Amino acid sequence: MQPKLIIHGGAGSSLKGKGGLAVVREALHGIVAAVYDDLLQGAAAAAAVVKGCELLEDHPRFNAGTGSVLQSDGQVRMSAALMDGTAQRFSGVINVMRVQHPIQLAQTLQTESDRVLSDQGAAELLRELNTPIYNPLTDLRLNEWLAERKGDFDKTMAGVIAEQELGAESEAGRGTIGVVVLDQAGRIAAGTSTGGKGFERIGRVSDSAMPAGNYATPQAGVSCTGIGEDIIDECLAAKIVIRVTDGMSLADAIAKSMAEASQNKRDLGAISLAADGAIAWGKTSEVLLAAYHDGHAIGDTLEWTGPELVGHIAP
Ligand code: GLY
């Protein structure tokens, strides 16, 4: 069957913190093209998801891998998950440090009996695998963290700092990357990776390495972005996928789930695919940085700023 692919580089209120429309479009379209080539060569869904996530993790503007935001103590801790829809098997890492591609750890854990590892366990796994130590910190993220820290200090001292002055880093905090694939054999997989919210407490757990943020069955797959707590409260990825698995169309499932999220005043977005070839996306935030290949051409959601909560391409 014709493969399908959708990826995202986060959600937020503008593209400013990501370098602008042209930069984001070039990055997302390039990654869609590279992964879609693999799918045309017969790549399996899970392998294509891992490749897409690695490319997104390598792009310094997206909040995952290189370019991850810093937590409250100035450290980068990353989380990632891979879900093979055909096997209906989830694996992931939570708050892992000093690694270039957290998604590769999630991939390794697919075949283990202990499939979700947090900080110490993930570090141990890195050592076992002899994975080279890698520093994902960028100057941009360090400067954002320093500015926000100074902002907090100024606010405490003077109580007068404007919220807008902290705009760029709060954008990054809603960032995540994700990939959902339907391969030639009709298999679905989903992957999600993130540096988290930024400035969070040590030990805070992201939705990205939970089925709330990344889920798939043989019928559908979803990757989420946005404020992790909002995504967890909606159990968004699992909810959309289960609605489709129970017989609802993907377009209806995402529309119903996004309407609920909007009513609950959540700040999030999601990308999704179904086994029948439908592609859909949704957001309650202002923008969703997603791009897709529908089997004919590459498209994206970058200029979609209207009031609609969802968009979709029929099978
Ligand atoms: N959605 C990413 C996070 O909140 O950690």
Side-chain angles (χ1 to χ4, degrees):
M1 72 185 290
Q2 199 174 39
K4 303 281 172 77
L5 164 69
I6 184 161
I7 71 174
H8 72 75
S13 61
S14 81
L15 293 173
K16 235 171 107 192
K18 307 277 186 195
L21 178 66
V23 170
V24 174
R25 181 163 281 155
E26 190 186 341
L28 292 181
H29 286 216
I31 293 168
V32 166
V35 177
Y36 201 76
D37 264 3
D38 281 11
L39 288 168
L40 291 177
Q41 307 295 320
V49 163
V50 170
K51 173 162 176 173
C53 287
E54 285 172 4
L55 293 170
L56 286 157
E57 285 174 342
D58 281 341
H59 198 292
R61 283 287 177 170
F62 301 129
N63 176 21
T66 304
S68 288
V69 296
L70 281 60
Q71 299 195 338
S72 54
D73 61 344
Q75 297 293 318
V76 173
R77 295 182 185 85
M78 301 164 284
S79 299
L82 175 65
M83 183 130 193
D84 180 330
T86 310
Q88 208 172 317
R89 192 187 301 129
F90 182 97
S91 58
V93 284
I94 295 167
N95 287 326
V96 66
M97 299 173 81
R98 292 186 278 275
V99 63
Q100 185 174 5
H101 294 125
I103 193 67
Q104 284 178 357
L105 291 178
Q107 183 184 32
T108 300
L109 289 167
Q110 270 284 307
T111 49
E112 297 288 318
S113 51
D114 299 329
R115 288 204 304 273
V116 183
L117 295 182
S118 64
D119 48 352
Q120 204 184 333
E124 192 65 29
L125 179 64
L126 282 173
R127 268 196 294 278
E128 273 173 39
L129 296 171
N130 275 322
T131 310
I133 289 176
Y134 178 82
N135 183 0
L137 181 66
T138 63
D139 286 350
L140 177 70
R141 295 301 186 217
L142 179 60
N143 289 331
E144 285 173 358
W145 186 82
L146 288 169
E148 183 150 338
R149 210 163 148 250
K150 183 172 180 301
D152 275 356
F153 180 72
D154 289 350
K155 193 157 42 179
T156 309
M157 297 308 285
V160 287
I161 202 156
E163 207 50 43
Q164 279 88 337
E165 289 176 42
L166 305 175
E169 50 282 354
S170 45
E171 278 313 301
R174 277 183 278 185
T176 300
I177 65 91
V179 179
V180 189
V181 164
L182 173 69
D183 70 15
Q184 279 181 341
R187 295 170 295 208
I188 290 176
T192 305
S193 182
T194 188
K197 271 199 307 195
F199 254 83
E200 62 267 65
R201 290 175 70 121
I202 301 168
R204 181 256 184 186
V205 176
S206 165
D207 64 289
S208 299
M210 292 185 192
N214 188 80
Y215 197 68
T217 64
Q219 286 76 33
V222 172
S223 167
C224 299
T225 179
I227 301 294
E229 284 70 9
D230 286 0
I231 295 165
I232 293 166
D233 288 347
E234 293 297 311
C235 203
L236 188 64
K239 178 156 73 173
I240 296 167
V241 169
I242 288 165
R243 282 178 164 154
V244 176
T245 304
D246 283 350
M248 203 180 260
S249 72
L250 181 65
D252 287 349
I254 200 158
K256 186 169 170 59
S257 305
M258 284 296 161
E260 289 165 353
S262 174
Q263 198 162 22
N264 293 333
K265 302 201 177 350
R266 310 298 191 195
D267 185 352
L268 46 73
I271 58 169
S272 60
L273 278 176
D276 63 5
I279 303 175
W281 53 87
K283 64 169 171 62
T284 60
S285 53
E286 310 264 303
V287 292
L288 174 67
L289 282 56
Y292 51 82
H293 201 305
D294 64 4
H296 304 288
I298 297 176
D300 66 52
T301 66
L302 301 179
E303 288 169 280
W304 170 44
T305 50
E308 311 84 27
L309 296 173
V310 292
H312 79 280
I313 296 175

